[in-house]
Amino acid sequence: MTGKTVLILGGGVGGLATANELRRLLPDEHRVVLVEKNPKHTFAPSFLWLMTGARRPEQIAQDVHQLVRPGVDLLLAEGQAIDIANSTVQTSTQMLHYDHLVVALGAELAPETIPGLAESAHTFYTFDGAAKLRDALQGFGGGTVAVVVSALPYKCPGAPHEGAMLIADTLRKRGLGKKTEVHLFSPEPQPMPVAGPTLGEAVKQMLAERGVSFHPLHKLTRVDPDARELAFDGKDPLKYDLLVAIPPHRGPKIARQAGLTNEAGWIPVDRTTLRTQHENVYALGDVTAISIPGRWKPDVAMLLPKAGVFAHAQGQVVARRIAVAITGTGEQDEFAGDGYCMLEAGESLSGFAFGNFFAEPSPQIELRKIGRIWHLGKVLFEQWWLAPYGMKRDVLGWMLAIGSKMFGIPIVK
Ligand SMILES: Cc1cc2nc3c(=O)[nH]c(=O)nc-3n(C[C@H](O)[C@H](O)[C@H](O)COP(=O)(O)OP(=O)(O)OC[C@H]3O[C@@H](n4cnc5c(N)ncnc54)[C@H](O)[C@@H]3O)c2cc1C
């Protein structure tokens, strides 16, 4: 058997999971090459704690070299072009050949696609943005805060709701509760529509109890930075004092240019195997479009949410499938659509939603009672995810496995 090369594009959540699992499974004669443009990996769920001041930037970032299993060839470079016909990828430093390709490039943020948004809005959807927003919240003197989901789809269906609750909590702690209103606008009909009406009502109640007014079916069309005013399609405009946006998302340019994407710019894949329409080419995580059962509008199909929990599980499935294809041994694996999400509500409390997103006729998601234990679970996961390969990571991994067994949560290993 001659050595094969598996090339993984993108070393975020899904790419790291894929590379590390492949290196564990494949004999040494096969290469696992991971191409990542950013030498620093940042843990996105903790951007919210960076925003509130509960974390410093260096606590939620890690040198990407520390996060790859020994034996993974990490290339710090930008992927520039994928040539499917010739099984090559051009990067900013060299041309690479592959036998198996995994596209794990995530989603790009495109605030410039809504007039006025880029120059007027803060965001907790990026590492730098969350740090700047922390300073803005510390300097805020009270008034109207607008948190706006500016377009669909966006990553992590829980994050805008968590962000709004944590902003309200931060301003309350600063003594600005009575002088401040926090509004959350979304084009969706309810919070987290993918999880169904019961969970949506429960999240609405969580928001209301924490002083956040939720405004469904508000599609942002324009921002007037001078007048500090938001315009919505068919709804009244709103004057704001502080604007926080979840910017529009789009598929990465090189995937679009390679002809891998659908009209909306995302890569369609088989939902259980993560195969694209091209042989030996897989895609996973935020870059994909995966239809799931259930609809909230007759003309709009529901898509599997873009979330790290899925990227992580899909990475492990893809790694195992490629390992079986190369070695001819081992068990095939399939992605089953299970996922979970901790919903930070402030005061070290968190809700916990989990379930199966492929269930018929629509996803079956449960919300557990809000409590400190889910918050602690999120902290433990953060510590494990960012720990360098070695003993500390192993110990944290065992603690996660024990905790997930005790509370019956399907946390990915
Ligand atoms: C504020 C916030 C909170 C969140 N909270 C949660 C949560 O609680 N739970 C949850 O499950 N998910 C959460 N998410 C979502 C989660 O972070 C993403 O869904 C997850 O990171 C997707 O993984 P991915 O591998 O598909 O993409 P990413 O993790 O984004 O990785 C893509 C990687 O590709 C690299 N890349 C892109 N283009 C190139 C190129 N041309 N060449 C080389 N490298 C490239 C990028 O630098 C990046 O490292 C949150 C997201 C945000 C913003």
Side-chain angles (χ1 to χ4, degrees):
M1 184 167 46
T2 54
K4 302 284 186 198
T5 298
V6 185
L7 177 56
I8 301 144
L9 276 183
V13 173
L16 283 169
T18 315
N20 290 335
E21 182 70 353
L22 265 168
R23 192 62 287 167
R24 187 177 77 82
L25 295 171
L26 283 180
D28 288 349
E29 72 256 33
H30 306 294
R31 285 184 79 204
V32 178
V33 182
L34 180 63
V35 178
E36 168 57 48
K37 65 180 177 184
N38 193 344
K40 189 171 68 175
H41 177 85
T42 55
F43 186 63
S46 302
F47 292 174
L48 292 158
W49 291 331
L50 185 56
M51 171 187 82
T52 63
R55 293 286 183 282
R56 294 186 309 278
E58 65 276 14
Q59 291 178 301
I60 64 163
Q62 181 61 277
D63 176 348
V64 73
H65 286 96
Q66 302 287 330
L67 298 177
V68 294
R69 190 180 279 276
V72 171
D73 293 345
L74 174 63
L75 177 65
L76 286 179
E78 183 170 12
Q80 293 177 329
I82 303 169
D83 181 346
I84 302 279
N86 292 304
S87 302
T88 58
V89 170
Q90 179 64 54
T91 76
S92 50
T93 60
Q94 59 187 273
M95 171 87 88
L96 297 165
H97 173 269
Y98 63 80
D99 298 290
H100 298 262
L101 176 67
V102 182
V103 183
L105 291 165
E108 292 176 358
L109 300 182
E112 69 284 359
T113 54
I114 295 186
L117 187 66
E119 51 272 43
S120 54
H122 284 274
T123 188
F124 50 79
Y125 260 56
T126 64
F127 182 71
D128 293 342
K132 279 192 197 136
L133 178 53
R134 175 199 54 204
D135 297 343
L137 289 173
Q138 288 312 316
F140 189 59
T144 300
V145 182
V147 181
V148 184
V149 175
S150 59
L152 304 178
Y154 61 93
K155 48 186 156 184
C156 191
H161 310 87
E162 294 180 279
M165 289 191 281
L166 291 176
I167 287 171
D169 188 49
T170 304
L171 296 175
R172 223 173 4 250
K173 282 183 182 145
R174 284 200 49 229
L176 293 170
K178 292 214 167 77
K179 287 171 73 182
T180 301
E181 286 179 15
V182 180
H183 296 270
L184 172 59
F185 296 91
S186 171
E188 295 171 305
Q190 62 157 84
M192 304 166 70
V194 70
T198 309
L199 193 135
E201 279 307 314
V203 176
K204 250 196 229 172
Q205 199 180 325
M206 270 174 89
L207 290 166
E209 283 166 4
R210 281 156 187 84
V212 177
S213 309
F214 180 69
H215 305 272
L217 299 172
H218 275 67
K219 188 175 172 346
L220 185 71
T221 53
R222 195 171 43 78
V223 183
D224 182 338
D226 299 326
R228 292 182 166 219
E229 190 169 273
L230 305 176
F232 297 100
D233 190 10
K235 304 277 183 192
D236 292 338
L238 178 99
K239 291 253 189 220
Y240 64 84
D241 296 296
L242 181 69
L243 174 60
V244 181
I246 287 73
H249 290 37
R250 69 175 169 222
K253 192 168 152 201
I254 81 162
R256 283 182 268 132
Q257 287 173 340
L260 284 167
T261 56
N262 62 16
E263 274 177 13
W266 308 106
I267 306 179
V269 289
D270 178 277
R271 72 180 196 176
T272 55
T273 65
L274 289 313
R275 289 180 66 150
T276 67
Q277 55 172 321
H278 302 281
E279 205 175 345
N280 295 338
V281 180
Y282 296 80
L284 55 87
D286 289 354
V287 74
T288 61
I290 297 178
S291 295
I292 57 173
R295 286 162 186 274
W296 60 270
K297 261 187 186 179
D299 54 335
V300 181
M302 280 224 288
L303 294 178
L304 185 72
K306 299 191 183 302
V309 65
F310 296 129
H312 186 177
Q314 291 167 350
Q316 293 187 322
V317 167
V318 167
R320 289 170 198 148
R321 295 191 77 86
I322 293 175
V324 171
I326 290 176
T327 62
T329 59
E331 267 183 47
Q332 280 293 13
D333 200 2
E334 290 193 342
F335 175 61
D338 293 326
Y340 62 88
C341 160
M342 280 92 163
L343 264 181
E344 285 290 300
E347 296 162 1
S348 302
L349 294 170
S350 181
F352 180 73
F354 73 106
N356 185 270
F357 287 74
F358 290 171
E360 297 283 355
S362 54
Q364 295 295 308
I365 317 295
E366 282 177 44
L367 184 67
R368 293 257 176 103
K369 200 165 162 268
I370 190 166
R372 188 152 299 213
I373 190 71
W374 311 122
H375 168 77
L376 294 175
K378 193 161 184 167
V379 173
L380 180 57
F381 189 92
E382 172 204 47
Q383 298 299 310
W384 170 72
W385 183 262
L386 289 170
Y389 259 88
M391 186 132 92
K392 182 178 170 197
R393 188 182 174 94
D394 291 345
V395 172
L396 290 166
W398 291 326
M399 287 168 69
L400 259 185
I402 293 167
S404 76
K405 253 211 163 92
M406 274 171 63
F407 292 97
I409 312 163
I411 289 195
V412 193
K413 286 174 273 105

